[in-house]
Amino acid sequence: MKAVLLSATLATAAAFAPAPATQTSFALRSTEPTEEVEIEAADVAPIAPAVAAINGWVPDEFAPCYGLPGALAPTGFFDPLGFAQTGISLNDVKRNREAEVMHGRVAMIASVGYLAGEAVSGPFNINGPANDQLQQMPLPAFILLTVAIATAELKRAQIGWVEPDIGKWTKTLWTLRENYYPGDLGFDPLGLKPEDSKAFANMQTRELQNGRLAMLGVAGMCAQELVNHRTIAETFDFYQKIYSGVDPYAVCGDSIIC
């Protein structure tokens, strides 16, 4: 009887005994990794971009032309000569874009100047093909024009370009400022520059496309006037007579160039 009571007492005590050490260790190992991962994820700070955004653009070395706008269907990114191919530095791409934007703006002004300058003689009674008008300017007006162009170019250099250092000329010569967006000189008297980054990229693409077209158009007008020494309107009239079956040289007389 005593043996039976003793066995029952031991069984009851064993039911309230702590779990074996191996089971406790297994339970702790199963929960520890989850808690550590959650703590580490909460402590990780967002990684800031290496270069600050300029007008919403952050240079991406894996994107064509470092992600600058300007590509448009149907050609898309078109770079047959490799000016923005892989391996070209960010500074070189920005410098090429700066040149493209500025030449496009000059060409857009020139395309209007060709037509307007040949249609109106102006204050100095300048006439004839636009190619021949610069040498007709009086010397004081020519000097004033030269000074104005030089002043604008120097101002652009101060805004967008790093000051050259003779001691570090390999790092400062032809180098644009890191916070300078190609072509953005801060001159916007009409307030046309959008605040939204996507709208700015769309406007930049439109400006580039119009500038590219203007560069091709001005090159064609310049070449045409060098060949036949006629104004744009006179050339249009010349070919209109040809296509109408009229001899365009009938009224020329003995002139070599008509």
Side-chain angles (χ1 to χ4, degrees):
M1 185 64 181
K2 292 182 179 180
V4 174
L5 292 175
L6 180 61
S7 300
T9 303
L10 292 176
T12 303
F16 293 96
T22 55
Q23 295 180 0
T24 303
S25 176
F26 176 80
L28 291 175
R29 284 198 299 270
S30 63
T31 57
E32 284 180 356
T34 304
E35 295 176 358
E36 290 179 359
V37 171
E38 292 177 356
I39 294 174
E40 290 177 358
D43 293 341
V44 173
I47 300 176
V51 181
I54 313 172
N55 292 326
W57 168 68
V58 177
D60 183 1
E61 61 179 339
F62 300 105
C65 206
Y66 281 85
L68 282 169
L72 191 67
T75 59
F77 178 68
F78 182 73
D79 183 29
L81 299 181
F83 286 109
Q85 63 182 343
T86 304
I88 302 296
S89 67
L90 175 60
N91 181 72
D92 288 342
V93 169
K94 289 176 63 176
R95 190 178 64 204
N96 290 337
R97 173 54 58 87
E98 170 81 3
E100 182 181 24
V101 171
M102 300 310 298
H103 282 83
R105 290 171 181 172
V106 171
M108 286 188 281
I109 296 174
S111 62
V112 177
Y114 260 82
L115 300 175
E118 293 177 350
V120 181
S121 61
F124 306 114
N125 196 27
I126 297 175
N127 50 38
N131 285 7
D132 303 331
Q133 291 186 3
L134 188 62
Q135 57 265 36
Q136 298 180 40
M137 291 184 63
L139 182 59
F142 182 79
I143 293 176
L144 183 62
L145 176 64
T146 304
V147 171
I149 294 174
T151 302
E153 286 297 292
L154 288 174
K155 183 64 175 178
R156 181 170 70 94
Q158 292 176 347
I159 293 174
W161 300 73
V162 174
E163 291 77 5
D165 186 354
I166 303 300
K168 301 178 181 178
W169 65 271
T170 57
K171 297 182 179 179
T172 59
L173 192 63
W174 315 118
T175 303
L176 272 68
R177 302 184 189 276
E178 292 184 359
N179 61 344
Y180 174 68
Y181 188 93
D184 187 4
L185 301 174
F187 181 74
D188 184 25
L190 299 180
L192 300 177
K193 179 181 177 181
E195 296 293 336
D196 180 67
S197 59
K198 185 176 181 180
F200 177 84
N202 291 335
M203 177 171 284
Q204 176 81 130
T205 299
R206 291 196 297 269
E207 181 185 21
L208 285 166
Q209 295 296 333
N210 283 279
R212 291 161 181 169
L213 179 62
M215 285 188 281
L216 293 174
V218 168
M221 289 189 285
C222 180
Q224 170 255 299
E225 293 192 357
L226 287 173
V227 171
N228 62 9
H229 297 277
R230 292 186 177 89
T231 65
I232 304 300
E234 290 173 348
T235 301
F236 179 80
D237 181 66
F238 177 84
Y239 284 105
Q240 188 177 31
K241 290 180 179 179
I242 291 179
Y243 295 137
S244 300
V246 179
D247 184 8
Y249 299 102
V251 295
C252 292
D254 296 331
S255 301
I256 297 177
I257 299 176
C258 178

